[in-house]
Amino acid sequence: MDSILAAIVLGHDELVDLLTTMLREMVAGRYAGVEIAFGAFSRWLKSHIRIEEEVVFPVAMGALDVGGAVVSALQKEHVCFQELCDEIAGQLQRSEWTTAIWNLRELEAALKVHEQREEQVLFPLVEARLRAPTLRELTAVVREKQV
């Protein structure tokens, strides 16, 4: 069966993998291309956040009694991620490698916790409350916007 979870998890896994790879390279002292890779990561993360906020979160708010509170907390985290990405981009531009590594690790840990809440709490609750045709339609929209 189509699911929001299946459509979004792919994006979550790829984001974390890219971030982990950048961190591994930087910790090993290989900084060439990191600024470009982080720019791509940051754009991808912003696109992923946009999909969640424009497509998934409005449905969650309508489908769940506590949807507003849950979505509000997740949106606040999205803002923090975007601010941290801007900060890291500046650090990379200034070759502040140690500080950038520290903040990349913080971002990696925060993303993992955030994604876990979405994958294990929010998305399954939404899926359990939606009728199959609505769920298929929502999942199709998510997949289309990821391309």
Side-chain angles (χ1 to χ4, degrees):
M1 177 180 189
D2 283 336
S3 74
I4 301 166
L5 182 59
I8 293 287
V9 168
L10 177 63
H12 285 173
D13 291 345
E14 291 173 337
L15 283 165
V16 170
D17 288 349
L18 181 55
L19 191 54
T20 301
T21 300
M22 280 188 294
L23 269 167
R24 187 175 343 138
E25 290 298 304
M26 291 180 71
V27 167
R30 294 186 292 266
Y31 306 119
V34 172
E35 190 176 342
I36 293 168
F38 184 76
F41 166 85
S42 186
R43 286 187 300 278
W44 193 357
L45 178 62
K46 287 177 184 178
S47 174
H48 183 82
I49 287 171
R50 183 182 48 76
I51 292 168
E52 288 181 350
E53 292 190 353
E54 291 178 3
V55 180
V56 180
F57 288 178
V59 173
M61 289 175 43
L64 303 173
D65 295 337
V66 296
V70 172
V71 167
S72 177
L74 293 170
Q75 286 174 319
K76 287 176 186 174
E77 291 174 2
H78 284 171
V79 170
C80 291
F81 297 155
Q82 292 175 349
E83 289 172 354
L84 191 52
C85 281
D86 291 343
E87 195 173 316
I88 293 167
Q91 292 161 351
L92 293 174
Q93 191 173 33
R94 295 184 300 274
S95 301
E96 296 172 359
W97 308 123
T98 303
T99 306
I101 289 169
W102 180 265
N103 284 326
L104 283 165
R105 284 182 172 148
E106 183 178 324
L107 179 60
E108 179 184 40
L111 275 172
K112 286 178 180 178
V113 170
H114 176 85
E115 292 169 353
Q116 186 176 26
R117 279 199 299 269
E118 289 178 339
E119 294 171 11
Q120 295 180 3
V121 178
L122 182 65
F123 299 154
L125 286 172
V126 170
E127 290 177 354
R129 286 176 174 73
L130 293 179
R131 296 179 190 270
T134 304
L135 182 57
R136 280 193 298 275
E137 195 173 294
L138 177 62
T139 303
V141 170
V142 168
R143 288 191 176 158
E144 175 185 306
K145 288 184 176 281
Q146 285 179 325
V147 174

